[in-house]
């Protein structure tokens, strides 16, 4: 069904608040989730509310975190999220990073000890909306084999980037795995085969059977594997947090904080070039990419992230697609209906 952005925001915020988060924090969590659904990134939207609500109500997300922000140099800082909602810590720390980049040209802000923060495009777009380049990376729970391996080591460790054009921002945001776990679940539900490039079985062999999957694989083999490693070092090792296979699991224990890390980098174009020209050239890049002759089977070349931008604009007018079952849960009085506690990340 279609739901307006405003209504979806209210429903999610109410549920997260009812689970125990303050109204202010619940509003921010809701903002990030609605942003994802509006962009068509449904894997990181309302579908996650029930899991968050259970974790909040069981104490695995700190309801009254003591956030601290420590400047460690003119362009560097560490934000400690005290295992509160990751969305809130990631948003507030990006606000600080933007202020620092306004003053000093660049900012690198480590965000320590947070919960899952959702779709990273939200945070990098805070920077591009302020006229800056935003980059953000974060850890996620180990579900991926290192290139050549038969056991999981890294998470789906996403990378997001956004830069301001004259009117629209250009935003690219991806997990470093070929496919999200949600796509394997989708194939299971349809009893369909998956391409042999998505995932491996327990022996590390590529598999087309979604029920045999025990790990996802990095994008572009050793190159995606290298990017995953880079993300984990920047958002884990650098911040003195658990890294690699030691990163906590999303579902393992919903009573404990996740201790995850994220890193924001903000670059102020005014410290490198004429910022008006910069925006103009970003718009030129977008237009020139759209004008590239399409290959057979393609209508048009889109600039990276253009599909999400178009969906976001449509959502403003037509509302957001929400699965009926999720809507029914959101309007119910239950904090959560099905439990995620101790679920295997590879379970259906
Ligand atoms: P995806 O594979 O759907 O898209 C990746 C990027 O490619 C997007 O920027 C998309 O707009 C762009 N794109 C796709 N098709 C395109 C086309 N034809 N032309 C131009 N651009 C195109 O995204 P993915 O990898 O499934 O990630 C989804 C979300 O999951 C992201 O928001 C990411 O931040 C989030 N995520 C969050 C994690 C966390 O722990 N917080 C972990 C992993 C992912």
């Amino acid at each position: 069904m279609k739901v307006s952005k405003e209504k979806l925001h209210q429903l999610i915020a109410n549920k997260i608040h009812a689970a125990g988060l303050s109204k202010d924090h619940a509003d921010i969590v809701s903002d990030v989730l609605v942003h994802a659904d509006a962009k068509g990134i449904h894997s990181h939207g309302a579908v996650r509310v029930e899991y968050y609500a259970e974790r909040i109500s069981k104490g695995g997300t700190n309801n009254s975190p003591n956030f601290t922000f420590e400047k460690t140099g003119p362009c560097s800082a560490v934000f400690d999220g005290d295992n509160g909602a990751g969305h809130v810590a990631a948003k507030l720390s990006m606000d600080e990073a933007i202020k620092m980049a306004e003053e000093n040209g660049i900012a690198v802000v480590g965000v320590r000890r947070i919960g899952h923060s959702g779709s990273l495009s939200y945070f990098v777009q805070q920077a591009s909306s302020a006229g800056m380049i935003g980059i953000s990376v974060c850890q996620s729970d180990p579900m991926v084999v290192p290139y050549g391996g038969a056991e999981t080591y890294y998470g789906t460790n996403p990378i997001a980037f956004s830069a301001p054009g004259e009117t629209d921002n250009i935003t690219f945001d991806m997990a470093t795995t070929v496919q999200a776990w949600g796509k394997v679940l989708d194939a299971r539900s349809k009893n369909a085969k998956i391409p042999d490039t998505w995932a491996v079985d327990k022996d590390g062999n590529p598999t087309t059977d979604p029920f045999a999957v025990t790990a996802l694989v990095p994008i572009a083999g050793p190159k995606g594997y290298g990017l995953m490693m880079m993300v984990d070092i920047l958002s884990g090792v650098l911040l003195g947090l658990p890294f690699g296979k030691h990163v906590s699991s999303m579902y393992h224990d919903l009573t404990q904080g996740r201790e995850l890390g994220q890193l924001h980098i903000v670059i102020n174009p005014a410290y490198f070039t004429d910022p008006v020209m910069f925006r103009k050239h970003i718009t030129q890049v977008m237009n020139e990419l759209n004008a590239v002759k399409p290959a057979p089977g393609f209508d048009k070349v889109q600039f990276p992230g253009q599909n999400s931008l178009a969906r976001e604009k449509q959502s403003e007018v037509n509302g957001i697609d929400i699965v009926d079952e999720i809507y029914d849960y959101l309007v119910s009085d239950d904090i959560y209906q099905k439990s995620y506690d101790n679920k295997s990340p590879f379970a259906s």
Side-chain angles (χ1 to χ4, degrees):
M1 70 163 64
K2 293 261 189 217
V3 184
S4 73
K5 247 178 132 170
E6 295 69 28
K7 170 138 197 206
L8 185 61
H9 183 282
Q10 201 53 52
L11 288 172
I12 295 178
N14 287 348
K15 191 65 86 183
I16 296 289
H17 179 50
L21 225 55
S22 70
K23 246 185 153 326
D24 287 355
H25 285 193
D27 260 343
I28 294 176
V29 172
S30 181
D31 238 27
V32 179
L33 300 191
V34 172
H35 159 96
D37 272 324
K39 278 181 171 289
I41 310 169
H42 296 299
S43 56
H44 286 72
V47 69
R48 302 272 177 154
V49 175
E50 198 164 358
Y51 158 73
Y52 292 139
E54 183 178 359
R55 180 175 272 282
I56 293 164
S57 67
K58 290 187 168 173
T61 300
N62 187 349
N63 285 344
S64 44
N66 178 24
F67 290 153
T68 60
F69 180 71
E70 186 192 350
K71 279 194 178 175
T72 53
C75 301
S76 58
V78 176
F79 186 104
D80 191 299
D82 198 17
N83 283 317
H87 314 77
V88 181
K91 179 188 197 296
L92 299 182
S93 55
M94 180 54 95
D95 286 339
E96 297 293 343
I98 292 165
K99 278 188 226 155
M100 288 176 74
E102 268 162 7
E103 286 164 20
N104 293 317
I106 57 166
V108 182
V109 174
V111 197
R112 299 182 71 247
R113 302 181 57 238
I114 61 171
H116 189 249
S117 67
S119 171
L120 300 196
S121 56
Y122 183 93
F123 313 109
V124 291
Q125 284 192 191
Q126 286 177 253
S128 55
S129 300
M132 318 247 172
I133 297 172
I135 299 171
S136 195
V137 297
C138 80
Q139 298 177 301
S140 79
D141 37 337
M143 299 187 79
V144 189
V145 284
Y147 182 68
E151 285 173 1
T152 56
Y153 188 80
Y154 283 126
T156 55
N157 300 0
I159 301 175
F161 171 95
S162 188
E166 286 172 305
T167 48
D168 289 326
N169 301 325
I170 190 164
T171 301
F172 179 66
D173 176 25
M174 63 157 201
T176 45
T177 41
V178 175
Q179 277 302 353
W181 175 242
K183 301 268 173 65
V184 180
L185 285 183
D186 191 41
R188 280 186 183 178
S189 70
K190 294 174 180 148
N191 240 327
K193 296 235 176 282
I194 57 169
D196 65 0
T197 49
W198 287 12
V200 293
D201 65 15
K202 62 179 181 12
D203 300 316
N205 292 315
T207 183
T208 56
D209 175 2
F211 294 96
V213 171
T214 59
L216 302 172
V217 297
I219 50 171
K223 299 181 187 181
Y225 166 42
L227 288 175
M228 259 167 208
M229 172 275 300
M230 186 188 87
V231 169
D232 189 56
I233 290 178
L234 290 174
S235 56
V237 181
L238 180 67
L239 306 180
L241 293 171
F243 50 85
K245 67 178 183 178
H246 310 288
V247 172
S248 66
S249 157
M250 173 106 52
Y251 306 117
H252 176 60
D253 182 353
L254 269 58
T255 66
Q256 296 298 315
R258 292 210 52 204
E259 306 277 331
L260 296 174
Q262 186 157 345
L263 190 89
H264 299 316
I265 300 171
V266 178
I267 302 171
N268 184 345
Y271 281 69
F272 298 86
T273 186
D274 171 0
V276 176
M277 188 62 75
F278 177 77
R279 281 177 178 259
K280 205 172 147 66
H281 285 169
I282 293 292
T283 299
Q284 185 179 340
V285 168
M286 292 152 101
N287 291 337
E288 286 179 358
L289 287 171
N290 282 167
V292 168
K293 180 181 159 195
F298 288 82
D299 295 336
K300 174 184 177 177
V301 173
Q302 302 191 73
F303 57 78
Q306 188 169 3
N307 53 350
S308 299
L309 181 65
R311 283 194 289 259
E312 200 173 13
K313 288 182 177 174
Q314 275 166 14
S315 313
E316 293 288 347
V317 184
N318 303 330
I320 297 175
D321 277 321
I322 292 295
V323 173
D324 291 353
E325 193 190 323
I326 296 174
Y327 182 82
D328 292 345
Y329 157 68
L330 289 176
V331 295
S332 75
D333 290 334
D334 299 327
I335 300 298
Y336 59 94
Q337 293 168 343
K338 53 176 183 268
S339 174
Y340 288 88
D341 212 352
N342 275 315
K343 197 174 149 189
S344 155
F346 294 104
S348 292

